[in-house]
Amino acid sequence: MKVLSAEDVRRTVPMPAAISAVRDAFLELAAGHFVLPARQIFGDGAVLVMSAYHTPSRTAVVKKIGIALDQVPAIRATVIWTGAGEQLVADGTSITTLRTGAVVGVATDLLAAPDATRLALLGTGGQAADQVRAVLAVRPITEVAVTGRDATRAAALAKTLAAEFPAVHFIPGTSIDDAIITADVICCATSSSTPLFSVDALPDRVHVNAIGAFRPTMRELPRDLLAAASVVMVDQREAALEESGEIIDALTSGTLAESDLLELGTALTTKPDPTGRTVFKSVGVGPQDWAIAAALAASVRSS
């Protein structure tokens, strides 16, 4: 049995490779090549267990997640990947942030303007940095507004990212409206239970990713944005209907119908024609974890 640390995960699967792996996994999901048991939720979402079985390779991944929103990182997880005669255990916290960033990279590549240069990051928690890394991997971003409730944390994150991406201008702050007013891409990575902004504060052409709200009681996006968006894309319809507060609210209110939700795997095979404002809402699904774990296992096998 091979045990991999967070440092091993980062060294072995850089963000561009993670985006490619996750993109391929969603194509496999769309083709019906995964068995996905329902996510198990304990303690009102304090503990989650996710799993996925890839039928062509006969490999599986199981992830146990502990969530404490008052801590940094808020997510602590362990991933177990199993194949015929081999098993790998890896730091699930790094895999979770990496695969969540990667799926945002895939979605942004599908929906954001090809010449997008300005990114607004809303949130400074454990998921935030990989949101930036993913968008920078697929779009020619030159300016990033880093916004959080705590100005000190926003400044610290901006400084860390600036050292990693010296050609990009990072602007820390606490005003969401100032951050999004000229944004081409917005990444929401918060634990908010109420929408972070009004639709009137958005540019006419913008792509919005939302990954922070993972419970039915949580919402980062305003209902009016979902109503006005030319594309509302989700990682998987079934998961979004069960866990996304924004999607559940939009369906309950009649703002959206289930048929309005475009699944990511479908969009990869039949590409949408995005205009105006677009949205990608992710709650996370097992094939994302499988994609990163499979890449790790392949690297271990070849070393």
Side-chain angles (χ1 to χ4, degrees):
M1 181 176 67
K2 184 71 173 180
V3 180
L4 300 179
S5 67
E7 292 74 17
D8 295 328
V9 172
R10 293 291 177 177
R11 183 177 62 255
T12 305
V13 189
M15 183 58 75
I19 291 172
S20 179
V22 167
R23 181 185 290 113
D24 289 346
F26 273 94
L27 287 169
E28 289 288 281
L29 178 61
H33 292 164
F34 277 101
V35 177
L36 295 179
R39 184 184 332 220
Q40 295 178 288
I41 303 174
F42 305 101
D44 193 29
V47 177
L48 309 177
V49 178
M50 300 171 62
S51 58
Y53 176 72
H54 184 238
T55 53
S57 65
R58 298 185 178 183
T59 59
V61 67
V62 177
K63 180 170 73 172
K64 187 277 296 178
I65 313 161
I67 300 174
L69 296 179
D70 58 343
Q71 299 178 13
V72 178
I75 296 173
R76 300 176 190 274
T78 301
V79 166
I80 302 173
W81 183 92
T82 302
E86 54 184 338
Q87 182 168 281
L88 178 148
V89 178
D91 175 73
T93 305
S94 57
I95 288 177
T96 299
T97 59
L98 180 60
R99 59 82 145 159
T100 305
V103 77
V104 161
V106 176
T108 300
D109 201 27
L110 281 170
L111 298 181
D115 60 350
T117 59
R118 294 181 298 272
L119 168 65
L121 172 66
L122 312 185
T124 58
Q127 297 274 9
D130 275 325
Q131 297 293 295
V132 174
R133 293 181 183 115
V135 176
L136 266 60
V138 299
R139 285 298 182 268
I141 301 296
T142 59
E143 181 178 288
V144 179
V146 179
T147 305
R149 291 175 296 180
D150 187 322
T152 301
R153 285 181 59 178
L157 178 58
K159 183 178 180 180
T160 298
L161 290 168
E164 187 174 344
F165 300 100
V168 178
H169 181 42
F170 289 87
I171 306 168
T174 58
S175 171
I176 289 176
D177 284 355
D178 287 348
I180 67 176
I181 192 170
T182 61
D184 299 308
V185 181
I186 299 170
C187 288
C188 306
T190 75
S191 58
S192 180
S193 58
T194 57
L196 298 172
F197 49 80
S198 72
V199 71
D200 294 336
L202 294 171
D204 291 334
R205 176 68 173 105
V206 66
H207 171 62
V208 182
N209 299 299
I211 62 95
F214 57 93
R215 295 172 181 165
T217 56
M218 300 168 72
R219 289 173 62 194
E220 292 184 297
L221 306 180
R223 185 186 298 169
D224 292 348
L225 172 58
L226 300 179
S230 66
V231 179
V232 177
M233 190 165 69
V234 295
D235 40 16
Q236 186 197 40
R237 187 177 289 112
E238 183 180 355
L241 294 178
E242 185 175 335
E243 299 176 26
S244 168
E246 293 98 338
I247 299 301
I248 293 169
D249 171 76
L251 294 176
T252 302
S253 66
T255 301
L256 292 177
E258 285 189 31
S259 59
D260 294 324
L261 302 176
L262 174 66
E263 289 191 323
L264 178 54
T266 301
L268 287 168
T269 55
T270 306
K271 292 189 177 181
D273 183 21
T275 59
R277 295 160 178 164
T278 57
V279 170
F280 173 60
K281 173 59 192 176
S282 175
V283 294
V285 291
Q288 293 167 246
D289 300 304
W290 176 89
I292 305 302
L296 290 168
S299 177
V300 169
R301 201 180 301 120
S302 63
S303 62

